[in-house]
Amino acid sequence: MQRLMIPARGGHLAGLNFGRAQGPIDLVFLHATGFNALTYRQLLQPLADRFRVVALDLRGHGHTQLPARAAFLTHWHPYAADVVAAVRQLARGHAGPKLIAGHSMGATTALLALAGAPDLAGALLMIDPAVVPPTWRRGLLLPLAPHLLRRRLPIARSAGRRRDHFGSAAEALASYRGRGAFKTWKPGFLDDYVEDGFAPQPDGSVRLRCSPAWESATFAGHRHDTFAALRALRVPARLMAAEKGSTTVGLLPMIAQAAPAMAIETVAGCTHFVPMERPELVRERMIAMMTAG
């Protein structure tokens, strides 16, 4: 594994490279809201013997250093634009990646990136993407909608109140282990999340790299048109939905109508954290898509 620093306007986008350090990229992977690229090391590292894999820290997350002002984040197009620019830089002189994949917000960001740059990657894998009903769209475009959602949408409100400072990384890890969303994760994922999710402070304490305000703004910022992006999709695509607590709940028929060529499967027994619970299955789907044709 090698760390990457990709120059961007206002700073740099950070990431991880698994496998060979040069040449064509096989897979680009994007993380969920509040997480970081290293969180998915247990999923991606086993692919390194056969493929070149790049995982990015999105704006406001992990080691990426780019302006992240929560008051101005009302949609996910800035995330998508960052991804397009970074992939173009990394793939310079080569064809684009065979596959772009993501989890939750990362899945939707990958879709938006492809909608804006249809030649960016050869295929798309969306793992329980974060999608809101199209009936919300008119309300979301009202002037104060994103700011109201930060206070009224439960997940955004909870994120905004999240504890962002611990006495040590070990304390943060102990606080999360076996609790809430983390209790279903396989070994290693939580340790990797904490490693890159917290910045060491001079006094030995640690602070979240993704601030509660930025995480809350991301959860509330849905002015992008996911269903328009689905209708514009022109590459082979697959969606893996969680059986329990999915962010696509009730929307799979509408997603299928918008993107009829997309393969859709529901992963039995899984919560929203499919990559952390069934990494072997996700890898199997990735390999199949990277080697198709």
Side-chain angles (χ1 to χ4, degrees), residues 133-147:
T135 52
W136 287 26
R137 182 150 179 78
R138 183 174 294 179
L140 288 168
L141 295 176
L142 293 173
L144 296 178
H147 305 285

Side-chain angles (χ1 to χ4, degrees), residues 1-8 11-19 21 25 27-31 35-41 44 52-59 61-66 82-83 86-87 90 196 209:
M1 185 186 82
Q2 308 92 36
R3 290 194 178 270
L4 302 172
M5 188 177 73
I6 308 154
H12 69 266
L13 203 74
L16 302 172
N17 186 93
F18 299 94
I25 299 168
L27 166 65
V28 170
F29 188 86
L30 309 178
H31 60 77
F35 298 152
N36 51 68
L38 191 67
T39 304
Y40 300 84
R41 172 163 49 181
L44 302 173
R52 184 184 179 195
V53 178
V54 169
L56 299 174
D57 283 341
L58 297 175
R59 182 181 293 253
H61 295 76
H63 288 270
T64 283
Q65 296 293 322
L66 290 172
D82 290 342
V83 170
V87 172
L90 291 171
D196 269 13
R209 294 185 188 274

Side-chain angles (χ1 to χ4, degrees), residues 142-219:
L142 293 173
L144 296 178
H147 305 285
L148 290 173
L149 281 177
R150 289 177 207 175
R151 296 198 297 269
R152 297 182 183 177
L153 188 68
I155 193 170
R157 187 172 63 246
S158 296
R161 297 171 178 171
R162 186 176 176 190
R163 180 179 176 183
D164 71 341
H165 186 262
F166 290 87
S168 66
E171 183 186 343
L173 191 60
S175 174
Y176 293 146
R177 194 177 299 282
R179 299 179 184 177
F182 304 106
K183 63 186 177 184
T184 62
W185 292 19
K186 287 197 169 183
F189 282 94
L190 180 58
D191 304 74
D192 286 339
Y193 159 64
V194 169
E195 182 176 336
D196 269 13
F198 287 84
Q201 303 301 298
D203 64 357
S205 65
V206 295
R207 189 174 298 278
L208 277 172
R209 294 185 188 274
C210 178
S211 73
W214 184 256
E215 185 175 358
S216 177
T218 300
F219 282 128

